[in-house]
Amino acid sequence: MEAGGGSESPDEPKKGKSKTPRKPKESILKQKSPAEFFAENKNIAGFDNPGKCLYTTVRELVENSLDSAESISELPVVEITIEEILKTKFNSMIGLVDRERVDEELYDDYETAKAREKRLAKEARAQEIQAKNAALGKKGREPAASKGMKGRGEASFYRVTCKDNGKGMPHDDIPNMFGRVLSGTKYGLKQTRGKFGLGAKMALIWSKMSTGLPIEISSSMKGQNYTSFCRLDIDIHRNIPHIHIQEKRDNKDLWHGAEIQVVIEGNWTTYRSKILHYMRQMAVITPYAQFLFKFVSDTPDKNITIRFSRRTDVMPPVPLETKHHPSAVDLLLIKRLIAETAKQNLLQFLQHEFVNIGKSFAERLIGEMGPEFSPKMSVKSLTSQQIVRIHQLFRQAKFDDPSGDCLSPAGEYNLRLGIIKELHPDMVATYSGSAQVFEGHPFIVEAGVSIGGKDVKQGLNIFRFANRIPLLFEQGADVVTRTALKRINWNSYKINQTQDKIGVFVSIVSTKIPFKGTGKEYIGDDISEIASAVKSAIQQCCIQLKSKIVKKIQAREQQERKRNLSRSTMKWPWNMPHRVVQVQNPKKKCISNHWMQQITSLTSRALCLFSG
């Protein structure tokens, strides 16, 4: 052993050297249930923040109620109530005892002594400036109220209740209809208000995430002598309902419909106007429905009750489920239709699973596919290559456009009544276009343009509807907004775009609304068929309004000419020299024959000019 050198024991770890790096764990394949996916990506369904969550919950419940009533041709009666729940009341609902703060510095809204001193000094200066202005007689701004610091934990809770007179739900189906994501009755090819199968399910997921409280459903079908009551929440990881109570109760009043109650975190202050605008626009597009909206608070000044009365008993027809158009299908859809069809051979499959394919046309298509295809061949025996050939032919062949018989637009009558009922305009024009097609899907555009009205701002006020539901967000990129702002020359229709109070209403119905973005809040401007149909519908309304405006201007000018003529006639005889003749009674005087002839001549000429 060398002097000054230290020997290391083989058992001692070497110093200064890194340890052997650990091997990374092998990644494990995991799966997420649909409920778990939407809980983590709730913005897809419109649940971005507490305020938007409250708005979307109201919207989904109202639209489900309207669909339910319309499905049995019942005039809808919908009652929606938002009840504010204070923190103390919420804690008592979940069995939590209120606790006073012990360590103030622990909380997010804690204010240090220095910050408090600075805030008080600022408020004192503002009061001093206000006092000086008052002494000098100057009008100064009111000092802004100091905003109390609100911590992130100070959430606001609301109980949302929606009651309708619709179809109701079968007793055994209620748990799956509310507690299983992506299960529902709106997945056929049909015009519907909703498409995702979420709606009340997302409200339940948000309730579970923000309050932990279950949803309560009461429902009864027509002629049913009992009411189904169910209290449940959702097992997000397994995407199955977790039932607390499910029972049948007496239904002495023979009520039919559904009542849904859910407690969620929300923000009424920031989304109050959006919710009220939504209810008002829904009353415009569905004037045959009766809505009662209530906001209930512990502070009576905040309470709101608004009734949107029914104006008509005429309801649009119930939308019909239709078959797929050949030009609108993809490979996966063709394979699914083959797997689900009850038809045995290829000829029957083409005839009965697609629109606008008759027997003779189906035979021509099969002949075009190639020698390996025959009308009598089993549709289940088609290979993947043969299915691709069918798809390619569908994309290249020319088919007749689908009809709009399956669609259910609001109708000119209802649209006009809704506008008049809610806006009280000075004049209104409506137009309903014929069915058109984009990518194999039929669509109809209806439009209304109003001038003047109650609570209407100067300039363009644009109201957008898709499948008879209002669209309130992301307006700037929408095809209706861009058309109204950039493609309509309002001056050519005697309408002042900046000074007149103009209401532009456009409703688009289709078996497939081409929404942009996940929020389903606007229709893109890139589909030329829809853009040109929207422009044409608005122009047709403007042409009607132009004739009314021109007649109104002419009547006003005529009235003005008449008023000016009457003024000149009143003044004219007294400005002339008077020749009077004596008659038997000296106290009476009359105009001489000379001036009488002049008056008659001038009056007749004036009347001719006026009538011309």
Side-chain angles (χ1 to χ4, degrees):
M1 185 169 66
E2 297 179 6
S7 64
E8 293 182 357
S9 170
D11 296 330
E12 290 180 4
K14 295 180 180 180
K15 295 180 181 179
K17 291 186 178 181
S18 61
K19 296 180 180 178
T20 305
R22 293 181 180 179
K23 292 182 179 180
K25 290 184 178 180
E26 293 183 4
S27 58
I28 301 172
L29 183 65
K30 294 183 179 180
Q31 287 184 332
K32 286 185 180 179
S33 73
E36 192 175 5
F37 171 80
F38 283 106
E40 294 177 1
N41 301 276
K42 58 186 184 297
N43 60 300
I44 292 176
F47 285 73
D48 301 63
N49 54 66
K52 187 81 177 291
C53 289
L54 181 62
Y55 162 80
T56 307
T57 299
V58 170
R59 167 182 164 170
E60 295 289 356
L61 295 182
V62 168
E63 289 165 14
N64 286 349
S65 294
L66 289 173
D67 280 338
S68 178
E70 290 173 6
S71 67
I72 56 173
S73 299
E74 188 86 18
L75 290 169
V77 178
V78 182
E79 299 178 12
I80 188 86
T81 304
I82 302 175
E83 181 187 352
E84 187 178 27
I85 298 176
L86 300 179
K87 181 182 174 182
T88 304
K89 186 176 180 180
F90 173 75
N91 286 348
S92 66
M93 287 171 60
I94 62 174
L96 183 66
V97 179
D98 284 340
R99 176 177 170 81
E100 295 294 330
R101 293 182 178 184
V102 178
D103 186 354
E104 287 287 346
E105 295 185 17
L106 186 65
Y107 293 90
D108 186 48
D109 58 357
Y110 172 72
E111 188 178 26
T112 63
K114 187 176 180 180
R116 183 173 180 275
E117 185 180 346
K118 187 177 180 180
R119 177 175 59 82
L120 292 175
K122 186 177 179 181
E123 291 176 1
R125 284 197 302 271
Q127 290 177 359
E128 187 179 346
I129 292 171
Q130 188 186 16
K132 286 181 180 179
N133 289 336
L136 296 172
K138 294 181 181 179
K139 288 185 178 179
R141 281 186 181 180
E142 290 289 330
S146 60
K147 296 180 181 179
M149 295 183 65
K150 187 175 181 180
R152 288 167 294 180
E154 290 295 321
S156 301
F157 302 101
Y158 301 88
R159 179 187 285 114
V160 182
T161 307
C162 186
K163 184 178 181 181
D164 62 61
N165 62 336
K167 181 181 180 180
M169 293 165 279
H171 180 79
D172 295 332
D173 291 347
I174 291 175
N176 283 331
M177 293 181 78
F178 287 88
R180 192 185 296 274
V181 173
L182 298 183
S183 65
T185 60
K186 297 182 179 181
Y187 291 121
L189 189 62
K190 180 179 174 183
Q191 175 193 324
T192 57
R193 288 189 170 93
K195 277 284 186 184
F196 287 170
L198 294 175
K201 303 178 186 67
M202 274 306 303
L204 174 55
I205 290 175
W206 175 242
S207 173
K208 188 174 179 69
M209 294 173 70
S210 60
T211 68
L213 293 173
I215 193 171
E216 293 186 354
I217 306 110
S218 297
S219 176
S220 180
M221 302 185 74
K222 223 169 188 179
Q224 207 167 257
N225 60 359
Y226 66 88
T227 299
S228 302
F229 177 79
C230 192
R231 182 183 293 124
L232 60 88
D233 62 27
I234 186 171
D235 185 332
I236 288 179
H237 300 290
R238 297 166 63 197
N239 192 31
I240 59 172
H242 176 217
I243 302 170
H244 295 249
I245 299 174
Q246 186 177 13
E247 60 187 14
K248 296 179 179 179
R249 299 177 176 178
D250 289 338
N251 184 18
K252 296 178 182 178
D253 299 331
L254 294 180
W255 163 73
H256 64 87
E259 183 176 5
I260 301 167
Q261 188 176 102
V262 60
V263 179
I264 60 171
E265 181 185 346
N267 191 329
W268 167 256
T269 306
T270 56
Y271 273 76
R272 174 183 182 274
S273 61
K274 287 290 185 185
I275 293 172
L276 296 180
H277 285 163
Y278 170 81
M279 293 303 301
R280 189 186 186 195
Q281 291 190 32
M282 186 59 85
V284 169
I285 202 66
T286 53
Y288 53 88
Q290 178 178 308
F291 299 99
L292 178 63
F293 177 83
K294 291 182 181 179
F295 177 77
V296 181
S297 171
D298 286 347
T299 308
D301 295 343
K302 293 182 180 179
N303 290 351
I304 296 174
T305 300
I306 304 175
R307 184 182 297 275
F308 300 93
S309 302
R310 179 183 294 118
R311 182 64 186 268
T312 176
D313 293 342
V314 178
M315 293 177 63
V318 178
L320 303 174
E321 189 166 347
T322 186
K323 298 173 184 176
H324 294 275
H325 193 269
S327 62
V329 296
D330 55 35
L331 271 173
L332 283 176
L333 183 54
I334 295 174
K335 289 180 179 179
R336 182 169 68 82
L337 292 175
I338 289 172
E340 294 175 355
T341 187
K343 303 303 176 184
Q344 298 299 318
N345 59 52
L346 180 58
L347 181 66
Q348 294 174 338
F349 171 73
L350 294 177
Q351 280 182 258
H352 293 91
E353 297 296 338
F354 301 96
V355 294
N356 296 348
I357 298 183
K359 183 178 180 181
S360 60
F361 194 75
E363 290 173 343
R364 290 175 61 191
L365 287 172
I366 294 171
E368 187 66 22
M369 290 176 191
E372 67 271 22
F373 292 87
S374 68
K376 298 296 183 182
M377 70 182 297
S378 172
V379 70
K380 303 288 185 182
S381 66
L382 290 169
T383 64
S384 297
Q385 292 80 7
Q386 289 174 325
I387 294 173
V388 170
R389 176 63 185 137
I390 293 173
H391 179 236
Q392 289 175 348
L393 184 59
F394 279 177
R395 295 186 66 177
Q396 296 168 0
K398 182 180 179 181
F399 298 93
D400 292 336
D401 290 337
S403 69
D405 297 341
C406 60
L407 301 179
S408 176
E412 272 194 80
Y413 177 76
N414 280 335
L415 184 59
R416 177 183 291 269
L417 278 182
I419 295 170
I420 293 172
K421 177 171 75 80
E422 293 302 321
L423 269 70
H424 305 285
D426 300 328
M427 58 179 69
V428 62
T430 53
Y431 174 79
S432 181
S434 57
Q436 300 186 50
V437 179
F438 80 96
E439 297 177 359
H441 295 278
F443 72 94
I444 293 175
V445 175
E446 298 176 296
V449 178
S450 64
I451 305 294
K454 181 180 69 174
D455 300 331
V456 182
K457 298 176 182 178
Q458 282 187 333
L460 290 175
N461 298 265
I462 297 172
F463 303 85
R464 303 167 295 132
F465 305 92
N467 280 350
R468 305 210 309 266
I469 61 171
L471 305 178
L472 269 64
F473 295 89
E474 302 182 61
Q475 178 170 303
D478 191 89
V479 61
V480 177
T481 305
R482 294 198 172 191
T483 300
L485 290 175
K486 298 179 180 179
R487 303 189 184 111
I488 303 296
N489 184 3
W490 296 95
N491 290 329
S492 64
Y493 301 103
K494 308 293 184 184
I495 299 172
N496 190 317
Q497 185 176 346
T498 56
Q499 294 183 3
D500 290 338
K501 297 179 178 180
I502 309 166
V504 179
F505 303 81
V506 176
S507 172
I508 302 173
V509 295
S510 177
T511 52
K512 181 184 178 182
I513 296 290
F515 289 111
K516 297 294 181 182
T518 56
K520 301 196 303 177
E521 288 292 348
Y522 77 99
I523 299 170
D525 197 28
D526 55 341
I527 299 175
S528 58
E529 296 93 337
I530 293 180
S532 60
V534 169
K535 180 181 177 181
S536 176
I538 296 175
Q539 284 177 330
Q540 290 296 324
C541 294
C542 291
I543 290 170
Q544 296 176 42
L545 282 179
K546 183 179 179 180
S547 63
K548 294 180 181 181
I549 293 169
V550 168
K551 287 179 182 178
K552 191 174 181 180
I553 292 171
Q554 289 176 346
R556 189 166 59 240
E557 290 175 350
Q558 219 171 36
Q559 192 70 24
E560 189 65 26
R561 288 200 301 267
K562 187 176 179 181
R563 194 180 298 113
N564 292 338
L565 180 62
S566 63
R567 286 175 185 169
S568 62
T569 306
M570 290 288 292
K571 294 177 181 178
W572 170 68
W574 312 112
N575 294 335
M576 287 187 167
H578 288 66
R579 287 187 187 179
V580 296
V581 294
Q582 294 287 337
V583 290
Q584 291 181 357
N585 187 352
K587 293 182 180 179
K588 291 183 180 179
K589 298 180 181 179
C590 66
I591 301 175
S592 67
N593 289 335
H594 171 74
W595 291 115
M596 184 60 73
Q597 291 173 0
Q598 294 292 327
I599 291 170
T600 305
S601 173
L602 288 170
T603 304
S604 63
R605 288 171 61 191
L607 289 173
C608 289
L609 287 171
F610 179 71
S611 60

